[in-house]
Amino acid sequence: VGLLDLELNQLTKALFLALVALSVVMVTLQGFVGPWYRNLFRFLLLFSYIIPISLRVNLDMGKAAYGWMIMKDDNIPGTVVRTSTIPEELGRLVYLLTDKTGTLTQNEMIFKRLHLGTVSYGTDTMDEIQSHIINSYSQAHSQNSGNSTSSTPSRKPQASAPKVRKSVSSRIHEAVKAIALCHNVTPVYESRAGVSGETEYAEVDQDFSDENRAYQASSPDEVALVQWTESVGLTLVNRDLTSMQLKTPGGHILTYYILQIFPFTSESKRMGIIVRDESSGEITFYMKGADVAMSTIVQYNDWLEEECGNMAREGLRTLVVAKKSLTEEQYQDFESRYNQAKLSIHDRNLKVAAVVESLEREMELLCLTGVEDQLQADVRPTLEMLRNAGIKIWMLTGDKLETATCIAKSSHLVSRTQDIHIFRPVTTRGEAHLELNAFRRKHDCALVISGDSLEVCLKYYEHEFVELACQCPAVVCCRCSPTQKAHIVKLLQHHTGKRTCAIGDGGNDVSMIQAADCGIGIEGKEGKQASLAADFSITQFKHIGRLLMVHGRNSYKRSAALGQFVMHRGLIISTMQAVFSSVFYFASVPLYQGFLMVGYATIYTMFPVFSLVLDQDVKPEMALLYPELYKDLTKGRSLSFKTFLIWVLISIYQGGILMYGALLLFESEFVHVVAISFTALILTELLMVALTIRTWHWLMVVAEFLSLGCYVASLAFLNEYFGIGRVSLGAFLDVAFITTVTFLWKVSAITVVSCLPLYILKYLKRKFSPPSYSKLTS
C-alpha cells in the first residue's frame, strides 16, 4: 500500500467524523423531537456523499493510466510496471538503496591484470605471457617426444632441488594452467546454421572451430578468466563431468581427469578442483578464491595483501590462485575420508568442510588475477541527478571495501570534493564506540563500512549509528549479505519514516527489493529474479532518472489533485443539502432525487475530474533538467491536512453560495430550485476542474464539453427529476422556463459568485508566492 493511500485513508476518517458530527448537529437543532434516532440515520444517509466512495475507483483507474503511460514511454523502452497500486511512491523517495554489480556496472568482466609476486602483467604486456606459454609448451612437446617422463618443464628443477627459484617462464606457465583448469566453465558449440534443427544430426553437424565456441558459467568472472587463457594460447575446448581438454598453442590436446570439485559458496568464498594429468598421472589440487579466504591457506608471502589492495583501488575484482601437488597415497587417503564424511548422518556439512580443510594447508601461491567490471552507460549523470533531487543513495554490495570505494568514486556516487570516512573494522562494543565518535566529528562526508562492522554497530548503538548515517550524503556498505541488505532497508524505514526504494539485478537483491517501499529490478546478466520480484522492472540504471523525476512526480501530483477534487465534489453537494435542510426547518428531505445523485458523480463530472490524470505542472524535459523540483515532493505538501482544510473551506463556501443564491434569486419560481441549483453546481464543478488544471490537454477540453453536453441533454429528457420532493414529480420541468433569459443570467450570477473569488485568490497567490515549478513554466 502506498503512502498516498494511507494519507487519503486518514482524511476519509476525518470526513467520517465530520459526517457524524453534522448529523448530530442537525438532530440537535431539530430539538430531538419525535423518533430523533430515525432522523439521525436519515441525515447520515443524506450527507453520506461526504464519504468519497468514488475516490477508490477514480484513483485505481488513475494508477492503471500511470502504469500504461510508463510502459508506453519511448524514452525508457522495456520498462514493465508489475504493480497497480504504488506509482505515486516513485514521486516521494528519500533513500535509494542500490546494488553495485550489474546495477551500476554492466556485469561484463574484462581480464586486466595478472600478478606473480615479482612481476605484474597488464593489458599492454599480455603478448609477453603469450610468448612464454608458446615457448614452454613447445619445449614440453619436444621433451615429451624425446622421453615421456615429464609433462611440463617446470617439474625438472623442482624435483632435483625444491629450493631453486623457478624461472618466470615456468611460473607463468603454472599460473595460466591453473586458471585454465580451476573453474566451472563449459564450452558450448552451436550447431551450424542450415541444419533443420533435428537433434539426431546435431552432433555430427556441430562446428568445433574456435569462432563457434562460447563459454557458459554461473559467474561472468569465470568466463572472463577462461577467455583470457584462450587469448594467451591455452584454450578450453571440451568439458564433461569427469574430464576436460585443453588445447595448447601448438594444437595438441591435453586431457585432465576431474577427480573432485568443490564449488564456490558465499560462505567459503573459494572454489577448488582436483585433477589428474592424463599423460603424467600427476594429481594436483587447484584453488582460487577471495583474498580474505585464501590469505590463511597459502604459504607465507609478503606481497599478496598489498597487491590485492592496489588492484582493488583501481576498481578491479581480485582472485587468488593457488595449487598443491598430491601423491597418489595422499589423494587416496583424502578420498576415503571425504567419502566417509559425505555419508555421515550428523553434521554432514561440517565434517565435509573439515576434510576439505585438511587439504587446504600450505598451498603454493601461484598468482593474483584482476578483472574489471565497467560502469553502465550514463551512471554518473543519473547519480548526479538523483543527488540533486535530494535523494540519498546507499550502495549495498558484496564486494571488497577498496573495490566498492573505487566504484563509488568513479561513478560519482561520492563527489570528488567529498571526504570519505572509512569505518575501521570493529568487533567489540568499545571499538564501535570509539569509531562512532571519530565519525561524529566529521561533517558532510561519505561513509564506507563493511557488513561485519555494521552488525556490531547496530547491535550496540543502533539509534546513534542510523542517525549519523542518515546525515551522510552517501553511504557504501560492502561485504553485505542479502539478509543484511533487507535489514538495512527496514532500519531506514523504521528510524526515518521516509520512503525507501531498492534497486538490484540478481537473486541476492530480492530480499532488499521486497523489503523496500518501492522495488525496482534491472533485467541483467543474472536473469530475471530481481525484475520479477520488483514493482517496476527496467533495462538500464539510467532509466531510473526519468522514472522518478517525470513519472513519479506526475503520478504523485495528479493523484493528490484527483483525491482532493473527488472529496471536494462530495463535500459541496453535502453542504448544499445541509443548507437546504436547515432552511426548511431541519427536515430530513433529500434535495436531489436518486438519479441526479448517481449522475452527478458519474456522467456529469466523472470525465473532467478524471482528466486531471493528464495534468502536468512542468514539461518532462524541465523536470529532468531541474531535479531540485523533486525535493519539494518528499515533504508531501501536495496532499496534507492543510491542503485538505483549504478544499473543505472552498466546498463549504461554494455549497453555501450555490444554495443561498438559488433560494434568494428564485423566490418566486421556487418550484425550480432543484434545476437552478443543480445547473449552477455542475457549472461550478466544471469551472473548478479548469481552475485546478495546470497544463491543458486536448482530451481535457473534450471532457469538459462532453459533460456539459450530457447535462444539457438530461435537462430536456429527465425533466421529472428536477422538481422538488415527491409532490412535484408530476409537475415536470418547464422547458420554456429553462430557455428564458432570467434563468440563464441568474444561474450565471450564482456560478460567478461561487468561482470568481477563488480565481482571484489563485491569481494573487501565484503573483506573490509562486510555487517553484511556475518559475520554470512562465
Side-chain angles (χ1 to χ4, degrees), residues 162 227 274 279 286 352 362 388 418 420 502 517 519 529 652 762:
Q227 280 171 340
I274 302 179
S279 54
Y286 289 109
V352 168
E362 290 294 299
N388 291 340
Q418 251 163 19
I420 293 185
D517 295 302
Q529 259 174 308
I652 292 171
K762 182 179 179 179

Side-chain angles (χ1 to χ4, degrees), residues 39 91 98 103 118 164 179 400 428 441 476 478 530 556 612 639 684 694 724 727 736 774:
N39 287 340
T98 166
T103 305
T118 52
V164 170
I179 295 170
K400 272 217 301 300
T428 63
R441 285 188 213 104
V476 177
C478 44
Y556 172 53
L612 289 171
L639 177 73
T684 301
R694 291 169 289 232
I724 315 177
V727 193
S774 66

Side-chain angles (χ1 to χ4, degrees), residues 95-162:
Y95 290 99
L96 175 72
L97 300 104
T98 166
D99 176 39
K100 181 181 80 67
T101 312
T103 305
L104 298 177
T105 60
Q106 295 173 9
N107 211 2
E108 283 179 7
M109 308 297 172
I110 300 156
F111 191 94
K112 285 284 184 185
R113 182 149 307 168
L114 180 74
H115 204 294
L116 299 167
T118 52
V119 57
S120 165
Y121 293 96
T123 37
D124 44 354
T125 48
M126 292 298 177
D127 45 354
E128 282 185 43
I129 299 182
Q130 198 169 357
S131 58
H132 279 303
I133 294 288
I134 292 169
N135 291 343
S136 59
Y137 273 110
S138 56
Q139 272 180 316
H141 186 66
S142 58
Q143 280 183 347
N144 267 1
S145 45
N147 62 357
S148 55
T149 51
S150 85
S151 61
T152 54
S154 61
R155 303 295 302 166
K156 283 226 160 149
Q158 208 180 7
S160 54

Side-chain angles (χ1 to χ4, degrees), residues 676-697:
I676 296 145
S677 62
F678 199 75
T679 308
L681 171 66
I682 297 293
L683 289 174
T684 301
E685 279 295 304
L686 297 181
L687 282 171
M688 283 302 288
V689 172
L691 178 72
T692 311
I693 284 170
R694 291 169 289 232
T695 312
W696 283 89
H697 185 287

Side-chain angles (χ1 to χ4, degrees), residues 199-216:
T199 44
E200 302 101 277
Y201 307 118
E203 281 297 314
V204 186
D205 287 311
Q206 264 184 357
D207 176 4
F208 286 103
S209 66
D210 286 359
E211 297 78 54
N212 195 34
R213 185 186 311 108
Y215 295 113
Q216 285 188 352

